[in-house]
Amino acid sequence: MATKSLKAKGNDLAVSNKQLEILNGGIFADGELPYFKDKISEIGHFPLRPKKLEILQINVGYMCNQVCEHCHVDAGPDRKEIMTRETMKQCLDVIKNTGAHTLDLTGGAPEMNPDFEWFVEEAAKAGIKDFIVRSNLTIIRANKKYHHLPDFFKKHNVHVISSMPHYTRGKTDKQRGDGVFDKSIKALQELNERGYGMPGSNLRLDLVYNPSGAYLPGDQAAMEKDFKKALKEDFDIQFHNLFAITNLPIARFLDYLIASENYEDYMYALVEAYNPSAVANVMCTNTISISWDGWLYDCDFNQMLDLKVASKVKHIKDYNEDLLNDRNIIISQHCYGCTAGAGSSCQGTVA
Ligand code: SF4
Ligand code: SF4
């Protein structure tokens, strides 16, 4: 189990260019596997273009109380990149004027940003239809100063989406660290007590599953059924939907794939599972991702690879939705993770 980020360890893969070298080289440069660009050209989707903007995803910082094995953000307690109030104010100007219907706050653990609650209060006033906070659950139990979060979320009618790799302690703790399962269960019970995740409740609580090894997720609907049954029977916990997400071969998951000698097999599996009908709905076609320091990206994954949007507008201070919507999306071989099987996005399958 990791205790430090790749960045803190001085690992080569903390540098995005190194990751891109791997993704663009080896079995792809040799012609063993086709480049993603060529695959989507076959169906007339290259260059990949955005459709209507629906989701603004804001990453308020890479600090996290956990150091999960497969984190694509390379987050952890040692990451100090945190969005300032000044950048938050620039985001708020955009939130008030955007055509997007969904605001999605992510991290790290977004709650660890010292201005998180101020930002949620201000952003909630904009009346965005779906206001998501991606909470890792354990943060709610990590420290007394976070114990009130379930009430705070409820007060602002925040939609909580939380990672829960499995309904068993062993698989969850293996991926996310010792004790994570028990704390997550307690946090889910507290959210349920406030009405989150209950049948018919408008306090939305969704869970995210991602595989704990070098394999693709199973059928989302079947897994949701299994999770619902097990969590209800074992802990009397309820939630609304389960999103099954494919691990993309970047950051700590890429490090894991290489260290476990699974990289090539995993890329083969992603390419074999390529589903052309997922391409039209990949997440970057309706999302703009904003980093802690205000730069704009096609998605959270491109943010971690430091692939800024291919647009005249690259920073939140210059935000212009029309100009941004007229751009080509930057792709590489990690994109195969979004088109494998039923497709994958921050809100689950797309095909
Ligand atoms: S909780 Fe999320 S952001 Fe934090 S280390 Fe785990 S996967 Fe990364
Ligand atoms: S990784 Fe990002 S850019 Fe690539 S297909 Fe997925 S959402 Fe789009």
Side-chain angles (χ1 to χ4, degrees):
M1 188 66 220
T3 52
K4 280 186 183 174
S5 67
L6 297 175
K7 190 171 181 196
K9 286 196 279 196
N11 185 307
D12 282 357
L13 291 180
V15 179
S16 56
N17 275 347
K18 183 73 197 168
Q19 298 183 50
L20 287 166
E21 241 174 61
I22 294 168
L23 290 168
N24 293 328
I27 39 180
F28 292 98
D30 293 349
E32 272 184 54
L33 290 177
Y35 285 119
F36 187 71
K37 167 182 182 285
D38 296 332
K39 243 5 216 180
I40 64 171
S41 293
E42 287 168 8
I43 51 166
H45 272 296
F46 183 77
L48 193 57
R49 299 275 297 173
K51 297 185 286 192
K52 192 178 163 350
L53 180 71
E54 295 180 295
I55 303 169
L56 276 181
Q57 189 173 60
I58 303 181
N59 193 316
V60 296
Y62 302 158
M63 188 180 281
C64 189
N65 57 318
Q66 293 182 186
V67 195
C68 303
E69 201 170 15
H70 299 158
C71 181
H72 77 272
V73 179
D74 191 27
D78 54 56
R79 296 299 299 261
K80 306 297 179 217
E81 299 89 339
I82 285 285
M83 187 177 274
T84 61
R85 200 176 274 217
E86 193 195 341
T87 307
M88 286 179 171
K89 282 181 184 161
Q90 292 170 341
C91 290
L92 286 169
D93 287 341
V94 169
I95 291 165
K96 283 175 199 152
N97 296 305
T98 179
H101 56 61
T102 297
L103 176 62
D104 186 342
L105 296 195
T106 186
E111 301 93 331
M112 290 179 86
N113 183 310
D115 287 317
F116 169 76
E117 291 188 25
W118 173 81
F119 188 46
V120 169
E121 276 164 13
E122 293 301 313
K125 289 179 197 161
I128 290 254
K129 203 170 132 209
D130 189 6
F131 187 178
I132 297 167
V133 171
R134 290 184 188 264
S135 176
N136 68 19
L137 294 174
T138 61
I139 191 72
I140 294 173
R141 303 302 312 158
N143 184 306
K144 258 194 198 155
K145 71 178 175 182
Y146 299 121
H147 285 183
H148 67 288
L149 280 172
D151 292 317
F152 177 78
F153 290 150
K154 179 175 180 174
K155 182 172 170 205
H156 297 289
N157 195 18
V158 162
H159 172 179
V160 178
I161 301 186
S162 298
S163 289
M164 189 74 189
H166 207 251
Y167 47 80
T168 59
R169 185 175 287 105
K171 284 196 175 171
T172 298
D173 285 1
K174 183 182 171 293
Q175 186 186 128
R176 295 174 80 80
D178 286 344
V180 165
F181 183 76
D182 290 340
K183 281 191 197 138
S184 301
I185 291 296
K186 180 84 180 87
L188 286 172
Q189 286 167 335
E190 290 188 14
L191 288 163
N192 275 176
E193 277 165 25
R194 270 71 175 184
Y196 268 101
M198 304 310 278
S201 168
N202 60 3
L203 292 168
R204 304 284 311 165
L205 173 63
D206 298 321
L207 300 184
V208 172
Y209 160 88
N210 64 306
S212 53
Y215 54 92
L216 305 185
D219 176 68
Q220 180 171 276
M223 270 193 293
E224 179 178 289
K225 232 170 139 188
D226 293 346
F227 268 70
K228 283 196 164 170
K229 187 168 179 287
L231 289 176
K232 179 82 179 100
E233 279 177 13
D234 296 346
F235 304 103
D236 200 23
I237 285 171
Q238 306 202 65
F239 65 94
H240 290 128
N241 293 114
L242 181 83
F243 303 144
I245 294 189
T246 302
N247 288 312
L248 262 65
I250 64 169
R252 289 214 286 269
F253 191 63
L254 180 58
D255 180 52
Y256 158 82
L257 289 174
I258 293 169
S260 62
E261 298 185 355
N262 275 307
Y263 171 71
E264 293 194 357
D265 286 350
Y266 191 69
M267 296 313 287
Y268 265 93
L270 288 184
V271 175
E272 266 164 34
Y274 168 74
N275 176 358
S277 64
V279 177
N281 295 321
V282 285
M283 191 167 63
C284 49
T285 57
N286 69 352
T287 303
I288 286 284
S289 156
I290 303 159
S291 64
W292 65 277
D293 48 358
W295 295 101
L296 306 175
Y297 300 85
D298 301 301
C299 68
D300 206 44
F301 306 112
N302 281 6
Q303 182 183 140
M304 301 317 150
L305 291 170
D306 200 22
L307 297 169
K308 295 185 179 72
V309 282
S311 166
K312 272 188 214 151
V313 176
K314 289 193 189 297
H315 196 273
I316 190 83
K317 65 179 177 352
D318 307 313
Y319 190 89
N320 177 316
E321 214 149 282
D322 292 336
L323 276 180
L324 277 166
N325 280 343
D326 184 24
R327 74 187 196 280
N328 293 339
I329 292 164
I330 301 181
I331 53 168
S332 181
Q333 284 42 265
H334 63 300
C335 298
Y336 275 117
C338 295
T339 56
S344 177
S345 76
C346 286
Q347 310 217 20
T349 57
V350 299

